[in-house]
Amino acid sequence: QVQLVESGGELVRAGGSLRLSCIAPERTVGDYAMAWFRRPPGSERELVAAISGSGRSWHVADAVKARFTISREPSKNAIYLQMNNLGPGDTAVYYCAARTSSPYSTSASSYAYWGQGTQVTVSS
């Protein structure tokens, strides 16, 4: 099992920025593809961004690609999601996910391990 812990979500005003973090406290995930998904209120889970185990390839969803970036820091066993110019449409629970394969996937079903989520709320 892989434990993932997200942090950084909070209430923020529109136009603001947040940086979400996801760490694996008890397992090295440097070779694992990882991703951020989010679930807006009343909506289905959707991909935000994904990154390969090496960190050399990644994908960001069209809806946020101009504003969000994904990165990883193997020395800290962590991935990050930098979110800029936030709007109310970004309000959601954001989840970190991982899989043992190194190539990233854009499909939620490809990820076996999930964090509990961190709430991001953007006010108008």
Side-chain angles (χ1 to χ4, degrees):
Q1 298 295 314
V2 177
Q3 181 186 0
L4 303 174
V5 182
E6 305 98 332
S7 63
E10 62 180 76
L11 174 65
V12 63
R13 297 178 68 177
S17 298
L18 288 174
R19 188 194 192 204
L20 305 184
S21 299
C22 171
I23 63 169
E26 299 178 341
R27 183 183 290 263
T28 299
V29 294
D31 294 331
Y32 293 6
M34 300 183 71
W36 290 97
F37 291 82
R38 67 185 184 184
R39 187 185 296 276
S43 299
E44 298 296 316
R45 178 177 54 190
E46 62 188 38
L47 175 72
V48 179
I51 191 166
S52 68
S54 69
R56 291 193 288 269
S57 61
W58 60 89
H59 173 84
V60 183
D62 288 346
V64 299
K65 65 182 179 181
R67 300 180 292 116
F68 291 10
T69 57
I70 187 170
S71 62
R72 67 189 305 155
E73 190 169 359
S75 65
K76 296 186 180 295
N77 219 26
I79 66 165
Y80 305 98
L81 183 69
Q82 179 66 46
M83 306 186 293
N84 298 321
N85 194 24
L86 288 162
D90 298 313
T91 294
V93 178
Y94 284 71
Y95 297 93
C96 178
R99 68 176 192 157
T100 56
S101 298
S102 294
Y104 73 77
S105 173
T106 60
S107 298
S109 61
S110 296
Y111 295 90
Y113 307 108
W114 294 81
Q116 295 298 306
T118 185
Q119 177 71 50
V120 172
T121 303
V122 184
S123 63
S124 300

